[in-house]
Each structure stands twice: as C-alpha cells, then as structure tokens.
Amino acid sequence: MESKVVASFEDAVAGVEDGSSILVAGFGEPGSPHNLVAALYKQGASDLTLIANGAGMTRDDGVITTGNLVEEKRVSRVILAFTASTHPSRRTPLEELNEAGEIEAQITPQGTLAERIRAGGAGIPAFFTPAGVGTEVAEGKEHREFGGRTYVLEEAIVADYALIRCWKADTFGNLVFRRSQRNFNPIMAMAADCTLVEAEEVVEVGELDPDLIHTPGIFVQRVVSIPEAGGMLQAPPLAMFSGTPRS
C-alpha cells in the first residue's frame, strides 16, 4: 500500500494555486492545523477562499494563523460562523477589511456551516434548515414550509483543499482524532478534493485499531508528521515572509 506521508509541511502544501478554496479546521488549539497554515503562508498562494469556524485573529507568539493571510490580503472571500472578534476591544484584520469592502465575508450559523460541509462530503447538494429564517443570512435563498414550519435552502460546501490536524494517522491516511479535533476535522476531511493532514503521530498501516478510526484514508491525500519538539510550528515573524514571491 503506497504511503501518503510527505517529508515536510512545504511538500504538503505544494501545488496550492492562487484562487483555491480551502477548508481550515479548528475548534480550539488541539484541532487547529497551525503548521499547515504557516506553510501555506510561506508558500505564497493568494486570492484564496477560506471556509472555517472563524478566521482573522492574529497572535503575538509567532504562530501564523489564517488572520495573517487575511491581513496581507491573500484572502478574497471567507465563509465563517464568526466574522467578528470574540474580544470586542481587539479588532481583527478581517473586521477592518470587511468594513472597508475589501473582502467578501459570508456569515453562516455554526450548525448550518457544519452541516453544509458534512453534506458536501456526503455528496448531498443542498438541504433545508430552520436556522437563520427571518434573518439576513436567509435573504435571497429559497424558502419552503414543512409541517407548518418555514425552512431555508442551504447549499453544500466542497473545497479544493482541506487543512486538517489529527492525533494519529497511519501511512495510508487513516485518521484518529481526540478532544476538540472531533469537531470540524472529520467532516472537512471528507469535503475537499485534496485533504492535507498534520498528525501528532504517524504509524504503519495495521497499527491503528480499525474500530477507532474516525476518517478512512480514502479521503486523505497527504500526511505530514508534526515535529516531536512541539505540537505547533513556531513560524518566523511576518516580516521574514512579507513580500516574498512564491518559488
């Protein structure tokens, strides 16, 4: 069985083109693929569409986030459950660019976002939901009544790439998640044409208990092992990559 393990994060994101749509998992630190996001930042792709629970926050500890991609105007569109900062006193680059009309931001109720992604991975093109009816998120969308209640039509989400983090992976790409990794990672892994995974541990095929596998390797294209020195890549300061052309 051919191994899907690549040697580096740079190899994992190689080939991501300008204009790509990218699912970025994350619901707390254990499930956020910071290493792959940092590698994508260094790689240089732009005009991206980001689909995530939230995006736009930058950090002060040297860790590159989707907020850095937004800040450098490498993202043209976002589909998010949260477009505003959870800390009103700390405005994000996304909020500023959105208010200036320099980025397209689509807000989607969190449960609807998760179901749109799950539906995309399951091959379901659209579904009706009561969430958002009567609000601006339902404007311009088809409405129908079922059992006396009004529902709005939401289309499934599929993307060119998904950036995923897992606890364990085997060399074929079978994945095991833990803690908050179980939120968006499993459904996003199924909804992309090319799923890139950073794993805390990579083992040989046969070493994972089949009953504990959450995502089958058929949905995964590339796996890279996170360095043992730390669970998160400490990316160089922004200035080191700012303006650097993609090779």
Side-chain angles (χ1 to χ4, degrees):
M1 190 174 293
E2 184 177 353
S3 174
K4 298 178 182 178
V5 176
V6 296
S8 67
F9 297 109
E10 290 75 16
D11 290 338
V13 300
V16 176
E17 299 178 345
D18 294 346
S20 295
S21 55
I22 303 178
L23 290 155
V24 181
F27 196 93
E29 288 300 329
S32 299
H34 290 298
N35 300 283
L36 288 170
V37 171
L40 179 64
Y41 179 87
K42 181 179 179 180
Q43 188 254 25
S46 62
D47 190 26
L48 302 172
T49 295
L50 290 182
I51 306 106
N53 185 51
M57 291 293 293
T58 56
R59 295 173 50 153
D60 300 324
D61 56 2
V63 174
I64 298 296
T65 70
T66 53
N68 298 117
L69 289 166
V70 171
E71 186 175 45
E72 297 216 348
K73 301 183 179 180
R74 304 248 304 273
V75 177
S76 58
R77 182 173 183 243
V78 295
I79 302 174
L80 308 170
F82 301 96
T83 56
S85 170
T86 55
H87 303 281
S89 61
R90 183 183 177 189
R91 288 172 57 81
T92 67
L94 174 59
E95 290 178 89
E96 295 174 354
L97 291 173
N98 187 30
E99 290 178 7
E102 297 183 38
I103 192 171
E104 179 185 348
Q106 179 186 129
I107 189 169
T108 302
Q110 189 177 63
T112 301
L113 176 65
E115 182 61 12
R116 290 179 68 189
I117 296 167
R118 190 204 68 81
I124 300 169
F127 59 92
F128 283 97
T129 175
V133 171
T135 72
E136 64 180 52
V137 302
E139 292 177 1
K141 299 175 182 177
E142 180 182 347
H143 289 63
R144 288 184 63 180
E145 285 195 7
F146 297 92
R149 188 175 186 184
T150 301
Y151 293 75
V152 61
L153 183 70
E154 293 284 356
E155 294 185 2
I157 291 175
V158 292
D160 298 316
Y161 295 90
L163 307 187
I164 302 300
R165 181 181 177 117
C166 75
W167 177 42
K168 287 186 179 181
D170 67 19
T171 56
F172 180 67
N174 294 308
L175 309 180
V176 179
F177 303 100
R178 66 174 178 176
R179 299 180 181 143
S180 64
Q181 292 175 346
R182 292 289 300 277
N183 284 276
F184 282 95
N185 282 285
I187 57 175
M188 285 187 173
M190 298 174 60
D193 292 334
C194 184
T195 296
L196 316 178
V197 178
E198 61 178 70
E200 295 176 26
E201 182 180 353
V202 178
V203 300
E204 295 298 323
V205 172
E207 293 187 39
L208 297 178
D209 184 341
D211 287 332
L212 299 181
I213 291 172
H214 300 127
T215 296
I218 191 173
F219 294 110
V220 173
Q221 281 67 48
R222 302 173 198 165
V223 177
V224 61
S225 179
I226 299 171
E228 293 183 5
M232 187 185 304
L233 181 65
Q234 295 294 322
L238 294 178
M240 290 190 66
F241 294 136
S242 179
T244 301
R246 184 166 33 157
S247 58

